[in-house]
Amino acid sequence: MHRVLVAVFLGLTPWLAQAADSITVYNWNDYIAPQVLEDFTRDTGIAVDYHTFTTAEELDKALDSGDAIDVAVPSHNQLPALISAGRIRPLDFSQLPNSRHLDKQLLSKLAAVDPQNRHAVPYLWGAVGLAINTPKAEAAYGGPLPDSWSLLFDPQQSARLASCGISVLDAADEGLSLLLNYQGRSLARSAPSRIQRAGKILDALRPNLRYVDSERYIDDLAKGNLCLSMAWVGDALAAAQAGQPVRFVVPQEGSVLFIDNLVIPATSSQPALAHRFIDYLMQPKVIAQVTSETLYPNGNADSAQFIEAALLEQPGLYPDQETKRRLFPLDVLPEKHAEMRNQVWQHFRQGS
Ligand code: N2P
């Protein structure tokens, strides 16, 4: 009897201990394969309290709030400020054996914003571009469309498309970088007065837009309710996958790239479990599943063999050489310009 009880206890204790384990994760909307979270919990016994955000500012606010967050997914251009404010902690690579699969080229790009790659490992990345519902947009425009950001930023052109529905991402760095790039300038090198003038141009476009939102457009594009969106690649490809005649275009003037990263905030109360989660996601097969479902490229050099060939060859998912030449990583805005950016964007997104 005694022996049986001991056996039961031995069997139960690890289960009880595991059941109590839980981590809090903050990720972008529509940016995971839900099955992966379930598999992680099944394989490790660690429950995931999963939260999503739709803007970089929302994540910054959550990280400033002091709430315990174990894993978060900031974009590369957010990293310098997070590191210097002590908001994220250095990773312990001895707990991340799967980091050997990471793409070295991507890591060297990231080292520009996270010296020696100490705080962050790449998760998914991608381009910003225009998602165009060609038949709808051509009908409203009255003919073939230029392969240009002018469709959005030239008020006369966007006025022609307003009736079939235009949306813009609620992403200040992306929006302002793209407008300034279209004007032959750069956000990082723009003085606050120039950023303010860019804001006036955006305000003038506002009546042509249905909304400024990074979540609503996913559904609307997939249902054919919009004809032109400033889009993150996966969200645009999802609409095509849903059967809409939507293509993803990196216009001739070029566009921006983002690299989103797994980090452990300073407020994490479970850093060991956070490392396990990050390491889990770096398994080539697991991250391949995330790419297949979200339609965003990943930062793992060994995952391609687990991604369907048709998907890998899908134009737009992994940009070809010619497109790559037109893409540049989102700039890091000097702190002293951030306030003007926020002010200008706040005004624009509200449309008043
Ligand atoms: C997907 C979110 C993309 C994140 N909906 C861009 N940083």
Side-chain angles (χ1 to χ4, degrees):
M1 170 70 189
H2 188 68
R3 209 170 262 169
V4 171
L5 255 187
V6 168
V8 167
F9 265 112
L10 282 179
L12 271 184
T13 321
W15 181 80
L16 282 175
Q18 281 178 359
D21 285 343
S22 142
I23 53 169
T24 301
V25 174
Y26 271 67
N27 192 5
W28 294 87
N29 61 288
D30 300 83
Y31 220 37
I32 191 100
Q35 187 62 44
V36 161
L37 296 178
E38 278 176 39
D39 292 349
F40 172 74
T41 301
R42 187 202 57 214
D43 293 353
T44 64
I46 303 168
V48 180
D49 181 13
Y50 189 75
H51 298 252
T52 59
F53 55 88
T54 62
T55 68
E57 293 71 38
E58 249 178 87
L59 174 60
D60 279 335
K61 242 186 235 155
L63 292 174
D64 283 348
S65 73
D67 290 351
I69 299 175
D70 300 298
V71 176
V73 189
S75 299
H76 70 278
N77 57 319
Q78 293 177 275
L79 291 176
L82 292 174
I83 293 169
S84 68
R87 289 277 181 270
I88 57 178
R89 54 176 88 197
L91 298 170
D92 173 3
F93 282 88
S94 72
Q95 296 181 55
L96 300 173
N98 285 314
S99 60
R100 69 180 186 278
H101 299 295
L102 293 175
D103 178 337
K104 305 271 177 312
Q105 259 187 338
L106 208 58
L107 284 175
S108 73
K109 272 198 193 134
L110 269 177
V113 284
D114 172 26
Q116 287 149 26
N117 301 111
R118 288 180 64 223
H119 298 80
V121 293
Y123 173 57
L124 301 176
W125 58 276
V128 186
L130 286 172
I132 305 177
N133 185 317
T134 312
K136 275 190 204 297
E138 284 186 347
Y141 193 78
L145 307 165
D147 184 2
S148 168
W149 285 107
S150 62
L151 287 171
L152 178 65
F153 292 132
D154 175 339
Q156 283 172 356
Q157 292 188 25
S158 57
R160 285 156 77 179
L161 294 169
S163 63
C164 59
I166 305 179
S167 78
V168 165
L169 292 170
D170 187 1
D173 287 313
E174 280 88 333
L176 285 163
S177 295
L178 289 169
L179 172 60
L180 285 156
N181 178 60
Y182 172 68
Q183 300 177 323
R185 305 180 185 281
S186 114
L187 176 59
R189 287 192 297 276
S190 293
S193 58
R194 164 97 49 215
I195 299 175
Q196 197 168 24
R197 282 203 293 281
K200 295 254 178 319
I201 294 178
L202 290 177
D203 288 344
L205 293 176
R206 193 65 181 78
N208 296 340
L209 310 180
R210 228 167 253 177
Y211 52 75
V212 177
D213 193 295
S214 310
E215 194 167 26
R216 269 175 77 184
Y217 86 115
I218 300 176
D219 226 41
D220 278 339
L221 269 180
K223 290 196 174 121
N225 296 334
L226 293 168
C227 62
L228 184 78
S229 297
M230 176 191 291
W232 285 312
V233 55
D235 299 341
L237 297 181
Q241 204 175 58
Q244 290 295 330
V246 169
R247 60 200 166 99
F248 178 71
V249 175
V250 172
Q252 280 315 313
E253 299 89 358
S255 190
V256 289
L257 272 180
F258 55 87
I259 307 169
D260 294 327
N261 306 280
L262 300 163
V263 304
I264 305 186
T267 56
S268 168
S269 53
Q270 312 262 36
L273 304 188
H275 280 90
R276 282 186 74 184
F277 183 70
I278 292 176
D279 200 53
Y280 191 88
L281 289 177
M282 287 190 296
Q283 295 172 87
K285 206 171 174 173
V286 171
I287 197 68
Q289 196 178 343
V290 176
T291 289
S292 303
E293 201 152 314
T294 61
L295 305 176
Y296 284 91
N298 65 58
N300 193 298
D302 301 324
S303 74
Q305 55 182 311
F306 300 108
I307 299 174
E308 240 182 90
L311 207 60
L312 278 182
E313 282 148 25
Q314 166 155 359
L317 178 58
Y318 283 87
D320 56 34
Q321 281 310 324
E322 206 259 314
T323 309
K324 260 192 183 159
R325 276 196 289 275
R326 298 202 300 279
L327 291 168
F328 52 94
L330 271 174
D331 280 329
V332 177
L333 202 64
E335 270 308 282
K336 60 181 197 303
H337 296 173
E339 203 176 313
M340 181 56 80
R341 171 201 60 193
N342 296 348
Q343 203 179 309
V344 156
W345 195 259
Q346 191 60 19
H347 194 263
F348 165 66
R349 73 192 317 203
Q350 285 167 354
S352 58

